[in-house]
DNA sequence: TCTGGGGTCCTAGGACCC
DNA sequence: TCTGGGGTCCTAGGACCC
């Protein structure tokens, strides 16, 4: 099973010796019993199609979407239904008269690479055909820890911004320590009242989980942003991580 | 449709090294 | 000293997801 956020998961049932009906019945009954909630399930030959299928009959449905169904069931859908296509890409595609997944699939690869770059263009080419070989990820390592906060009211007072930055730094450090990681890169984020958003990053030479060091880095970054407008949000992120338990220190129990 | 908070991945440019 | 190619690392911003 791969966890995807708070209320989604992919299950590889390849080797489960039960019918689709038995499996989905068991899942639905289990979720109902434990939470009182219904759920929607998509059954497919890969994660991409399963995700789309799970969305097709929303409350309490079961939808099967196999490769043979791509033309009839996937292609009529709006591009926005494709995992990885958000509002920006939807707009971009609309600009070149592409509104359905079928129309997207009709575009030659070269055209997609031109418009969307190598990586994303290739992804769109395959996704529009229902192709996806990504494996279930049952275990992963965090890449960053962060905290951010939006003020109730936009703030002009540097003291308030500074105190918030210090508080957030502390929370990030606690989270990081709890998971037994150290970081080398500290990034801060400032969003102004007009939603203009800036980030400033700093990479230090040694991995650290020291609150003082991380707070100081955050403040060094803050100095590099001119606070000429009211501030709506501040954030702190620690990345470029190393796992302490990967160098002979005990793994955390979480 | 927007906002908020937690993430990931990608790109482009610059600095630096061999 | 200059040019070029290849590679790595860092930074800033953007798109997307739940």
């Amino acid at each position: 099973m791969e966890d995807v956020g708070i209320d989604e998961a992919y299950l590889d049932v390849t080797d489960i010796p039960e019918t689709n009906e038995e499996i989905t019945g068991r899942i639905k009954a289990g979720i109902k019993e434990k939470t009182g909630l219904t759920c929607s399930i998509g059954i497919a030959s890969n994660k991409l199609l399963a995700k789309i299928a799970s969305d097709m009959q929303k409350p309490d449905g079961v939808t099967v979407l196999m490769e043979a169904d791509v033309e009839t069931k996937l292609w009529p859908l709006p591009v926005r239904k494709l995992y990885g296509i958000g509002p920006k890409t939807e707009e971009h595609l609309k600009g070149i008269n592409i509104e359905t997944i079928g129309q997207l699939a009709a575009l030659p690869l070269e055209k997609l690479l031109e418009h969307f770059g190598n990586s994303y263009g290739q992804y769109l080419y395959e996704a529009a055909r229902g192709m996806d070989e990504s494996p279930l990820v049952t275990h992963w390592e965090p890449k960053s820890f962060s905290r951010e906060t939006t003020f109730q009211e936009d703030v002009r007072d540097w003291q308030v911004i500074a105190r918030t930055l210090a508080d957030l730094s502390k929370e990030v450090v606690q989270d990081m320590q709890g998971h037994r990681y150290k970081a080398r890169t500290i990034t801060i984020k400032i969003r102004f009242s007009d939603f203009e958003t800036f980030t400033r990053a700093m990479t230090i030479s040694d991995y650290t989980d020291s609150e003082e060091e991380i707070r100081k880095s955050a403040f060094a970054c803050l100095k590099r942003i001119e606070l000429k407008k009211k501030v709506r949000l501040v954030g702190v992120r620690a990345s470029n991580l190393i796992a302490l338990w990967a160098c002979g220190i005990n793994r955390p129990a979480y």
Side-chain angles (χ1 to χ4, degrees), chain A residues 11 13 20-33 37 39-41:
Chain A
L11 281 74
V13 295
N20 287 345
E21 292 69 33
E22 288 167 337
I23 295 170
T24 55
R26 218 145 54 78
I27 293 169
K28 280 177 173 292
I31 289 175
K32 185 70 166 225
E33 187 198 322
L37 299 170
C39 67
S40 295
I41 300 177

Side-chain angles (χ1 to χ4, degrees), chain A residues 1-253:
Chain A
M1 184 178 103
E2 172 180 345
D3 256 311
V4 190
I6 194 171
D7 65 348
E8 279 191 24
Y10 293 104
L11 281 74
D12 184 349
V13 295
T14 309
D15 297 328
I16 306 285
E18 288 174 81
T19 65
N20 287 345
E21 292 69 33
E22 288 167 337
I23 295 170
T24 55
R26 218 145 54 78
I27 293 169
K28 280 177 173 292
I31 289 175
K32 185 70 166 225
E33 187 198 322
K34 294 226 162 65
T35 69
L37 299 170
T38 61
C39 67
S40 295
I41 300 177
I43 303 174
S45 43
N46 61 46
K47 286 163 62 179
L48 178 78
L49 291 177
K51 166 76 175 158
I52 292 167
S54 74
D55 204 50
M56 291 175 78
Q57 302 185 63
K58 237 345 196 175
D60 205 13
V62 175
T63 306
V64 179
L65 186 58
M66 290 306 174
E67 266 149 56
D69 303 322
V70 163
E71 272 191 61
T72 55
K73 294 187 179 170
L74 185 66
W75 285 1
L77 299 177
V79 290
R80 192 58 219 274
K81 290 285 179 185
L82 213 51
Y83 182 89
I85 294 187
K88 297 294 180 179
T89 306
E90 181 187 27
E91 272 310 298
H92 188 150
L93 287 169
K94 193 177 274 177
I96 54 175
N97 282 316
I98 304 296
E99 305 215 349
T100 68
I101 298 175
Q103 290 169 341
L104 183 62
L107 288 181
L109 178 61
E110 304 78 65
K111 191 131 192 165
L112 288 169
L113 299 182
E114 240 172 69
H115 278 270
F116 299 102
N118 270 323
S119 169
Y120 192 44
Q122 185 70 41
Y123 170 79
L124 290 177
Y125 181 84
E126 289 171 16
R129 288 162 177 71
M131 293 162 60
D132 170 32
E133 305 208 325
S134 63
L136 254 69
V137 179
T138 54
H139 177 77
W140 86 108
E141 301 296 333
K143 301 279 195 311
S144 66
F145 294 94
S146 71
R147 287 290 183 281
E148 62 184 52
T149 188
T150 299
F151 295 116
Q152 293 286 332
E153 289 180 3
D154 298 340
V155 170
R156 175 154 278 144
D157 183 355
W158 189 86
Q159 299 293 335
V160 174
I161 293 162
R163 179 159 35 80
T164 306
L165 199 66
D167 290 345
L168 294 171
S169 298
K170 184 172 186 174
E171 286 182 43
V172 166
V173 165
Q174 284 171 348
D175 195 10
M176 199 167 62
Q177 287 173 346
H179 289 83
R180 293 185 157 272
Y181 281 85
K182 288 188 178 187
R184 273 186 63 218
T185 303
I186 306 302
T187 307
I188 70 155
K189 174 159 129 185
I190 296 284
R191 173 127 76 212
F192 292 104
S193 45
D194 59 1
F195 237 73
E196 207 183 0
T197 306
F198 296 88
T199 64
R200 288 294 179 269
M202 179 176 171
T203 298
I204 55 182
S205 53
D206 294 313
Y207 291 100
T208 185
D209 63 355
S210 143
E211 190 193 332
E212 189 190 351
E213 209 169 343
I214 284 171
R215 178 174 19 86
K216 281 181 175 166
S217 302
F219 275 91
C221 289
L222 181 62
K223 272 201 201 136
R224 295 196 273 138
I225 298 182
E226 199 195 341
L227 299 174
K228 52 194 186 304
K229 294 176 283 192
K230 284 190 177 179
V231 171
R232 175 157 307 176
L233 170 152
V234 300
V236 176
R237 172 182 306 269
S239 59
N240 214 337
L241 304 176
I242 190 169
L244 294 182
W245 41 265
C247 40
I249 301 168
N250 281 342
R251 257 197 99 122

